[in-house]
């Protein structure tokens, strides 16, 4: 049996599209690097606030020691390994494995002195405060926490189906698809005993839902004889469901004054994150198709090579996500509320800009891409705007 | 299917519902036996009781009070034992005292605690600690503070220069230019003005001494709102010898004429204490000297301490009772209570309405898991409200005296009855002020308290309490009403026959403690060491001024507004503000926020 590696010969391999699927038997392997930076949260009135509320500290019976202010900056380095396989020309399945390689959290603590303390002869300074806390068994919170242990986040499995098209849709270069993603609970919760800790489940990363149902559509414009478009306009609507999560409460084993709440919260508590309803509009522009050669990628056919993806595709998208109220469910409604008030129903406004360079036409079955995603252009509400840079390489192959 | 679909839709809607803050104040109506009422309390506030115990005791007070262990172990070696180290000091000490106090709680008191334990899931011991820690902590903290003050610099003398030859009577004693006029030596903290009618350029001189030496750089002088520290041209600081420092404050500008001026001075020693942190010198308590400048024409006893807004003089608790012509529609008792919030107590406030099987119904204003309040009102029209009053004449000092023969084995042990249970006794038993005073004074208190009792017939009295461990002849009970007068024939703390104001310092029990040396530590009256003393005097004066300015009879809205005045409320540790309407059997209470009066007053009628 002839068994060879040859490369994909499809005219629609422009990965920026909302409705992208692979031809039957094709495999796309994508290795990406993501760098995420998060340094604020949006208030209910769209103001940028620190990720952590001011912490007023009181001397028991002695008034306000001062206000501990943290302006944490969290940075994450992810390795994102994805694979997509075309079961049929209309149905592709994929897997997405995010691996957190490094997390860096700078707490950036500052201090506003409070009341004058006669027994000290001064108001507390930040050093005084930590010395005081240390005298009660509470170690100083580190200014910078770097964790280089590789941790797998929730793995996402997905299936996308290119819905049947009518003659009119085909004639007008209109495509539409349905997609279902399901996350496997392979990520971790934040360590309840650590003062500074990050979890890697989708809720903590706030990147995607546990189950997402998408309906997408694309409309091509300025399509040439080989099916290559110069402009694509896409849209996607989705509903993201988050499953309730069970968390372990802190018992103050490492931070007796900061993380000791199990007695009244309960040994465990639930978070029902609240679902998302979202919509995206996107535009893909092909400014440069590039030289085209017959090669192994096109099976030696110049005609087929003309159907390969253009060398440069530029994409921009806007995603609106309405986030629902997150619900903490512990034994203490007071404690629950202290968290829920920061996670009220809100919204994200995500802009994403992507550039893709494809070498298919040159005979190299590889695409390079880079993207930047920001939530700063239109402030959101009750959400944490992570800005993400992504760079990666994608190879597409087909066996037969 | 027919039923599951609506349920599904309902659950979806519920999941989308916005979170709403839980109440930080609750009102519970408790009925039946003491155990029943405790069980209802414990069951209904289970989550809050557990959260209050953890956040206030486990996460705050235990570790904080354990910081006193090194200081106290210098005097009482028993506390060097391992079980008192590593944070165990506070819980062990509070538990030992709680068990000692338990016997005085009576069967109903113990039953109510058991009910709370059964309802909340706390152990009985934890509930016992929660219900007794206030008094024990005050006593232990007081001892710790007195020990610290004992090793801090002392004021040897205070002198306003030139008053002995200024041709004016500066002491109010009717004599001009006495030899010691303007000089306070030996130093006794003044109740009233340190001097009156001083010249606007008068200099202040204070000598501090300390065996470890006084650090000149720690000397501070505040004059009204102005702060003068080491290096300021107005401040001349001279080290007289290895143990004494003399500061001379020269006003760079003339003092305001015909005014009341407050000087606040303090200093630290040269020995830095490293443990417990943060590193610090031992500081003299803020000592205050109030003077008037020429033209004020006030006698020393007539001065009124101005309000200070310097972040170090937070107003302590006070009460104001009015009756008769002073009250618009029946007697009223107002209470501003501040002590220990620690950013948690205000989230756990509760008004408990007790309807016992026997005895009158009554309401107390307090906290989850605690069977009492520091104020309350019963259906017979008797109200009571108490303020802590620092004293070394307390039961814990008494326990040390009892063991003085061998201090190596001595322990701090509270005895008597915590004030909240005294308040409960008043409300459970009294039909008038006289019965209330009887109920209040039958058992010695654990610590010093000033309680004001009022009834709907116009009875109004302040009872100043201490544990009388020095057997000073009064049984630790010092009473006065609006019409009572001190030996100088002045009212103790009233403007008229129909009002009385009480703070967190003794007004009649001024020599609350004898002066003695106990194992190298000086035991002295309140005014020499308490951080409340000057602040209490100031808040009493402030309330007195406001009451004097009120020409109309006092009503509930006026008292509520008074309690919310920024100058009289502790913005950090305010715990509740209460107006008891004795005639109408109504409790008006503000709580659940910091300060308490950031919340609106809520009226609760006992009849409902």
């Amino acid at each position: 049996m002839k068994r060879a590696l040859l490369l994909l010969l499809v005219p629609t391999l422009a990965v920026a599209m909302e409705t992208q699927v692979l031809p039957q038997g094709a495999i796309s392997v994508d290795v990406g690097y993501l760098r995420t930076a998060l340094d604020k949260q949006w208030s209910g009135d769209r103001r940028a606030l620190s990720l952590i509320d001011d912490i007023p500290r009181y001397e028991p019976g002695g008034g306000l020691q001062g206000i501990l202010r943290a302006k944490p900056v969290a940075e994450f380095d992810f390795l994102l390994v994805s694979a997509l396989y075309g079961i049929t020309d209309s149905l592709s399945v994929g897997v997405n494995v995010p691996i957190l390689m490094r997390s860096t959290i700078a707490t950036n603590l500052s201090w506003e002195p409070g009341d004058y303390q006669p027994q000290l002869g001064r108001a507390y300074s930040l050093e005084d405060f930590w010395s005081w806390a240390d005298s009660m068994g509470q170690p100083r919170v580190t200014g910078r926490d770097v964790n280089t242990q590789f941790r797998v986040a929730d793995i996402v499995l997905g299936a996308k189906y290119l819905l049947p098209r009518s003659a009119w849709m085909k004639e007008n270069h209109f495509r539409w698809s349905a997609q279902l993603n399901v996350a496997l609970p392979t990520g971790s919760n934040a360590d309840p005993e650590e003062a500074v800790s990050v979890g890697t489940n989708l809720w903590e990363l706030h990147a995607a839902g546990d189950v997402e149902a998408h309906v997408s559509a694309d409309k091509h414009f300025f399509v040439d004889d080989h099916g290559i478009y110069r402009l694509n306009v896409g849209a996607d609507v989705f509903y993201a469901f988050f499953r309730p999560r069970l968390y372990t409460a802190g018992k103050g084993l490492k931070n007796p004054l900061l993380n000791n709440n199990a007695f009244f919260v309960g040994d465990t508590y639930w978070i029902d994150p609240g679902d998302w309803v979202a919509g995206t509009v996107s535009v893909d522009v092909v400014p440069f198709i590039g030289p085209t050669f017959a090669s192994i990628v096109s099976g030696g056919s110049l005609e087929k090579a003309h159907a390969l993806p253009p060398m440069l595709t530029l994409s921009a998208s806007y995603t609106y996500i309405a986030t629902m109220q997150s619900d903490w469910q512990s034994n203490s409604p007071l404690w629950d509320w202290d968290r829920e008030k920061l996670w009220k129903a809100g919204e994200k406004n995500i802009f994403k800009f992507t550039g893709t360079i494809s070498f298919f036409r040159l005979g190299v079955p590889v695409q390079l891409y880079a993207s930047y995603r920001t939530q700063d252009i239109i402030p959101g509400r009750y959400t944490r705007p992570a800005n993400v840079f992504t760079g990666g390489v994608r190879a597409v192959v087909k066996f037969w | 299917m027919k039923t599951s679909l609506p349920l599904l839709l309902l659950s979806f809607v519920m999941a989308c519902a916005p979170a709403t803050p839980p109440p930080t104040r609750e009102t519970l109506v408790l009925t039946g036996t003491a155990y029943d009422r405790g069980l209802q309390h414990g069951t209904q506030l289970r989550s809050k009781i557990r959260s209050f115990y953890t956040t206030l005791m486990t996460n705050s007070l235990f570790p904080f009070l354990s910081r006193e262990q090194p200081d106290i172990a210098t005097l009482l070696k028993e506390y060097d034992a391992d079980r008192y180290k590593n944070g165990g000091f506070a819980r062990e000490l509070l538990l030992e005292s709680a068990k000692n106090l338990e016997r005085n709680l009576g069967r109903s008191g113990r039953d109510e605690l058991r009910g709370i334990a059964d309802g909340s899931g706390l152990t009985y011991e934890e509930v016992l600690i929660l219900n007794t820690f206030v008094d024990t902590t005050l006593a232990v903290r007081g001892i710790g503070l007195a020990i610290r003050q004992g090793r801090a610099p002392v004021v040897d003398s205070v002198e306003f220069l030139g008053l002995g030859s200024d041709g004016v009577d500066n002491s109010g004693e009717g004599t001009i230019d006495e030899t010691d006029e303007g000089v306070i030596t030996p130093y006794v903290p003044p109740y009233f003005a340190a001097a009156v009618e001083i010249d606007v350029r008068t200099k202040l001189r204070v000598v501090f001494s300390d065996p470890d030496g006084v650090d000149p750089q720690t000397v501070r002088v505040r004059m009204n709102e102005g702060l003068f520290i080491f290096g300021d041209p107005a401040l001349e600081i001279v080290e007289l010898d290895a143990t004494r420092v003399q500061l001379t404050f020269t006003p760079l500008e003339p003092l305001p004429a015909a005014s009341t001026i407050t000087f606040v001075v303090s200093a630290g020693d040269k020995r830095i204490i490293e443990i417990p942190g943060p590193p610090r010198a031992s500081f003299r308590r803020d000592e205050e000297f109030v003077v008037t400048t020429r033209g004020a024409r006030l006698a020393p006893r007539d001065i009124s301490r101005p309000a200070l807004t310097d972040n170090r003089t937070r107003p302590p608790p006070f009460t104001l009772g009015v009756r008769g012509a002073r009250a618009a529609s029946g007697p009223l008792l107002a209470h501003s209570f501040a002590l220990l919030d620690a950013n948690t107590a205000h989230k756990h406030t509760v008004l408990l309405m007790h309807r016992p099987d026997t005895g009158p119904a009554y309401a107390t204003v307090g906290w989850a898991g605690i069977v009492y309040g520091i104020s309350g009102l019963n259906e017979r029209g008797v109200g009571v409200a108490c303020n802590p009053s620092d004293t070394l004449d307390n039961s814990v000092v008494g326990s040390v005296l009892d063991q003085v023969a061998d201090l190596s084995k001595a322990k701090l042990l509270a005895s008597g009855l915590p004030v909240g249970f005294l308040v409960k006794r008043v409300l459970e038993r009294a039909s008038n002020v006289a019965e209330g005073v009887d109920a209040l004074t039958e058992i010695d208190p654990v610590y010093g308290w000033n309680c004001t009792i009022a009834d709907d017939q116009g009875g109004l009295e302040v009872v100043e309490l201490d544990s009388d461990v020095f057997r000073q002849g009064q049984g630790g009970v010092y009473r006065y009403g609006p019409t009572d007068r001190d030996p100088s024939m002045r009212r103790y703390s009233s403007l008229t026959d129909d009002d009385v104001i009480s703070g967190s310092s003794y007004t009649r029990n001024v020599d609350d403690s004898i002066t003695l040396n106990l194992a190298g530590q000086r035991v002295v009256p309140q005014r020499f060491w308490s951080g409340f003393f000057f602040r209490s005097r100031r808040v009493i004066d402030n309330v007195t001024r406001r009451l004097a300015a009120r020409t109309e009879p006092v009503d509930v809205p006026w008292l509520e507004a008074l309690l919310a005045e920024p100058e009289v409320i502790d913005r950090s540790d305010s715990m509740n503000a209460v107006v008891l309407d004795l005639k109408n059997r109504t409790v008006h209470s503000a709580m659940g926020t910091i300060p308490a009066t950031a919340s609106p007053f809520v009226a609760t009628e006992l009849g409902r």
Side-chain angles (χ1 to χ4, degrees), chain B residues 312-330:
Chain B
R312 61 195 294 178
T313 51
R314 295 174 297 117
F318 68 89
T319 55
L320 165 61
V322 293
R323 68 181 182 188
R326 267 291 189 194
S329 56

Side-chain angles (χ1 to χ4, degrees), chain A residues 59-63 115-116 118 120-122 128 131-132 135-136 239 257 260 263-264 324-325 331 333-334 337 340, chain B residues 12 16 19 21-22 47 50-51 54 59 63-64 67 220 277-279 283 311-312 314 339-340 343 347 571-573:
Chain A
E59 177 107 351
D115 297 336
Y116 177 86
L120 268 188
R122 59 185 183 267
D128 289 335
S131 178
W132 176 85
S135 75
M136 301 198 300
Y239 187 90
L257 303 191
N260 182 14
F263 184 70
F264 62 100
M324 297 180 192
Q325 171 77 58
N331 292 339
L334 280 174
W337 165 249
E340 288 165 353
Chain B
F12 180 79
C16 298
S47 124
R50 296 173 73 90
S51 127
T54 308
N59 292 358
F64 179 71
R67 288 163 40 88
R220 297 163 58 108
F283 272 85
N311 284 350
R312 61 195 294 178
R314 295 174 297 117
L339 190 63
L340 169 65
N343 201 27
K347 300 173 185 171
R571 69 183 189 284
S572 299
D573 283 308

Side-chain angles (χ1 to χ4, degrees), chain A residues 33-211:
Chain A
Y33 164 77
L34 273 75
R35 183 168 181 80
T36 299
L38 176 62
D39 65 356
K40 60 179 171 288
Q41 63 178 320
W42 297 121
S43 67
D45 56 359
R46 302 180 192 280
R47 286 180 298 117
L49 305 176
S50 170
L51 285 166
I52 298 176
D53 279 352
D54 289 352
I55 305 169
R57 296 298 315 184
Y58 293 86
E59 177 107 351
L64 182 68
Q65 289 178 328
I67 299 172
L68 189 61
R69 292 208 165 91
K71 191 163 175 38
V73 176
E75 294 172 333
F76 304 100
D77 297 286
F78 277 97
L79 179 67
L80 191 61
V81 181
S82 306
L84 193 64
Y85 175 68
I87 295 177
T88 69
D89 284 346
S90 298
L91 176 64
S92 295
V93 294
V95 60
N96 194 341
V97 184
I99 301 168
L100 179 57
M101 300 185 294
R102 176 189 172 97
S103 61
T104 305
I105 300 177
T107 50
N108 295 321
L109 295 173
S110 62
W111 179 258
E112 181 183 321
D115 297 336
Y116 177 86
Q117 300 291 336
Q119 78 280 7
L120 268 188
R122 59 185 183 267
Y124 274 85
S125 65
L126 183 58
E127 286 301 314
D128 289 335
F129 167 72
W130 284 120
S131 178
W132 176 85
D134 182 61
S135 75
M136 301 198 300
Q138 172 59 48
R140 184 172 191 153
V141 172
T142 180
R144 186 176 175 83
D145 177 80
V146 180
N147 188 338
T148 56
Q149 184 181 3
F150 277 37
R151 288 162 283 170
V152 177
D154 286 352
I155 294 173
V156 178
L157 306 177
K160 184 182 283 189
Y161 180 61
L162 192 61
L163 295 166
R165 296 189 293 171
S166 65
W168 177 88
M169 293 166 82
K170 290 178 180 172
E171 186 178 328
N172 289 278
H173 307 292
F174 184 90
R175 297 155 53 95
W176 62 324
S177 66
Q179 181 176 352
L180 183 68
N181 296 343
V182 177
L184 303 178
T186 49
S188 60
N189 294 349
D191 186 337
E193 299 296 344
E194 293 290 349
V196 178
S197 174
V198 291
T200 59
N201 67 53
L202 283 177
W203 151 243
E204 300 214 23
L205 299 175
H206 228 236
D210 293 313
V211 178

